[in-house]
Amino acid sequence: MERRRSGHHRINSYFCRTSSTILFRRTFFLVLLFTTTTNALVKIPKNKTVPAVIVFGDSIVDAGNNDDMITEARCDYAPYGIDFDGGVATGRFSNGKVPGDIVAEELGIKPNIPAYRDPNLKPEDLLTGVTFASGGAGYVPLTTKIAGGIPLPQQLKYFEEYIKKLKGMVGEERTKFIIKNSLFVVICGSNDIVNNFFALPPVQLHYTVASFTALMADNARSFAQTLYGYGARRILVFGAPPIGCVPSQRTVAGGPTRDCVARFNDASKLFNTKLSANIDVLSRTLRDPTIIYIDIYSPLLDLILNPHQYGFKVANKGCCGTGLIEVTALCNNYTASVCPIRSDYVFWDSFHPTEKAYRIIVAKLLDRYLNRFF
């Protein structure tokens, strides 16, 4: 009988120690959650909080998720990241920070949003947000398959993994709170238009521009609805940019004078119209206006058409190399020089904007849309 009590005592002691360890860890991570902040530039009501920024999409918001993959859609080498912290090429498709980083910084959450697949990711990084985005991703499965990136369904699987890790760190209730109050950013669609529909004649045999953009918009709506199902209640779904005006597309399809490609821009606008309508219908169906369509087309086009108003000198070429075609592998330290003053350029390479351009756009968008959540 005494042995049984002794064994029972040891088991109770073990569970007490284990419970204490779990409690300590959760308390430790909760302390981190409330203390890991930077100075906020965007004012949030005192009774509201945004604990994390969680990002999905393509190269515009990828921070290095493709770094260990065999794909053209990666940039973990110089001169990418030349103006990032320490001049390190992290896998961000720009000279410095990308929109996810800037949103987190503006909200006072943390300086950068790390890639979920970063091997150096720390557990405490999960508390304030990560990006699951992958260069080359699109709303249409074939788009991502062409580029060799991480498809949106796989990004969601990583997100499920993320939720499990959060629960292990801070418990079920705090995890629900984080998911409910975090800002979710979804940026995708450009690759579908230029690297799929307009690049592949067989696709144009099966779809018209109207039906293809409808497919994109329907898949985008389903993605947003899935995030809502996970408990997300602050979801920003970005439309497509004026993709016909990015330097590479002007070079390959803009004629001798490298004009903006009207049919590409028209496809972006058509997608945006359908996406905006889909998000509006979804919000009404859910009776919850917590999924918001974001117009990225207009602010970026304004920078491109009126660069001098924003302190830019060049808007039709990238800073890397000739600025006409260099992107990813063609933008490298061996065959491409870099412009000395990055802040003169709207575009870093022939496809992705500079950090300065991103900062201007993000500031405009947060000022216009964020108050809808509060």
Side-chain angles (χ1 to χ4, degrees):
M1 189 71 178
E2 187 60 36
R3 285 182 181 175
R4 287 183 180 176
R5 285 199 192 99
S6 177
H8 185 65
H9 174 72
R10 284 196 298 271
I11 292 170
N12 279 340
S13 298
Y14 168 78
F15 280 115
C16 285
R17 287 196 301 273
T18 303
S19 299
S20 298
T21 302
I22 293 172
L23 181 61
F24 171 77
R25 286 177 179 169
R26 287 182 178 176
T27 303
F28 172 73
F29 285 124
L30 284 171
V31 169
L32 280 176
L33 181 62
F34 289 112
T35 58
T36 308
T37 57
T38 58
N39 293 324
L41 299 177
V42 175
K43 299 300 180 184
I44 297 173
K46 290 183 179 180
N47 62 333
K48 301 292 183 179
T49 183
V50 181
V53 175
I54 300 171
V55 187
F56 299 86
D58 58 24
S59 59
I60 298 299
V61 280
D62 187 353
N65 282 312
N66 285 11
D67 285 359
D68 64 345
M69 299 173 63
I70 301 174
T71 172
E72 284 291 320
R74 57 184 283 183
C75 57
D76 52 326
Y77 44 80
Y80 284 93
I82 191 171
D83 298 311
F84 193 72
D85 186 24
V88 178
T90 59
R92 288 170 169 83
F93 291 73
S94 189
N95 63 303
K97 294 187 178 185
V98 294
D101 302 319
I102 298 167
V103 169
E105 181 187 328
E106 293 266 330
L107 293 176
I109 296 172
K110 60 182 175 182
N112 307 307
I113 294 293
Y116 178 71
R117 298 184 71 247
D118 184 344
N120 298 314
L121 188 73
K122 299 174 182 177
E124 56 265 30
D125 289 330
L126 301 177
L127 300 171
T128 45
V130 294
T131 176
F132 301 93
S134 170
Y139 284 120
V140 179
L142 177 61
T143 302
T144 316
K145 189 176 293 186
I146 294 167
I150 302 170
L152 289 175
Q154 181 60 46
Q155 291 183 31
L156 285 175
K157 288 182 181 178
Y158 284 135
F159 179 56
E160 291 175 356
E161 202 176 79
Y162 164 84
I163 292 174
K164 289 179 183 177
K165 290 177 181 178
L166 272 187
K167 289 178 180 178
M169 291 166 62
V170 297
E172 182 99 22
E173 289 307 309
R174 186 64 199 182
T175 295
K176 287 181 180 178
F177 178 88
I178 292 172
I179 300 302
K180 181 180 179 181
N181 291 282
S182 292
L183 190 65
F184 284 73
V185 175
V186 183
I187 300 181
C188 209
S190 297
N191 296 317
D192 294 299
I193 294 170
V194 296
N195 296 333
N196 187 336
F197 184 79
F198 284 111
L200 302 175
V203 174
Q204 296 176 46
L205 293 176
H206 288 85
Y207 295 96
T208 62
V209 174
S211 62
F212 189 81
T213 52
L215 173 64
M216 290 170 59
D218 288 347
N219 289 350
R221 178 193 58 209
S222 297
F223 189 85
Q225 188 167 0
T226 300
L227 290 179
Y228 186 91
Y230 283 119
R233 292 297 181 270
R234 294 171 178 169
I235 306 170
L236 302 179
V237 183
F238 284 66
I243 198 66
C245 291
V246 305
S248 62
Q249 303 311 306
R250 295 169 81 137
T251 299
V252 301
T257 55
R258 298 185 62 253
D259 298 321
C260 289
V261 187
R263 66 185 186 280
F264 292 4
N265 282 350
D266 288 344
S268 286
K269 288 187 285 188
L270 188 56
F271 165 66
N272 291 342
T273 299
K274 296 174 187 294
L275 176 62
S276 177
N278 278 359
I279 296 301
D280 184 53
V281 170
L282 179 59
S283 295
R284 290 202 306 269
T285 301
L286 297 172
R287 298 183 179 179
D288 192 346
T290 55
I291 305 174
I292 299 175
Y293 163 77
I294 304 294
D295 171 26
I296 187 68
Y297 189 100
S298 300
L300 179 54
L301 185 63
D302 194 34
L303 260 64
I304 294 169
L305 297 181
N306 305 292
H308 296 286
Q309 292 184 13
Y310 298 93
F312 295 108
K313 293 181 180 179
V314 183
N316 65 345
K317 294 193 298 183
C319 163
C320 186
T322 64
L324 302 177
I325 200 69
E326 291 86 350
V327 62
T328 57
L330 294 178
C331 177
N332 62 76
N333 266 354
Y334 302 101
T335 63
S337 59
V338 175
C339 65
I341 306 175
R342 266 79 71 187
S343 59
D344 283 347
Y345 286 72
V346 173
F347 289 93
W348 157 246
D349 59 20
S350 68
F351 201 85
H352 306 93
T354 55
E355 178 181 328
K356 178 183 174 181
Y358 281 140
R359 284 191 177 279
I360 292 170
I361 293 169
V362 167
K364 277 188 172 185
L365 296 178
L366 288 179
D367 183 60
R368 179 178 177 183
Y369 294 105
L370 197 62
N371 62 0
R372 296 192 190 182
F373 289 128
F374 303 121

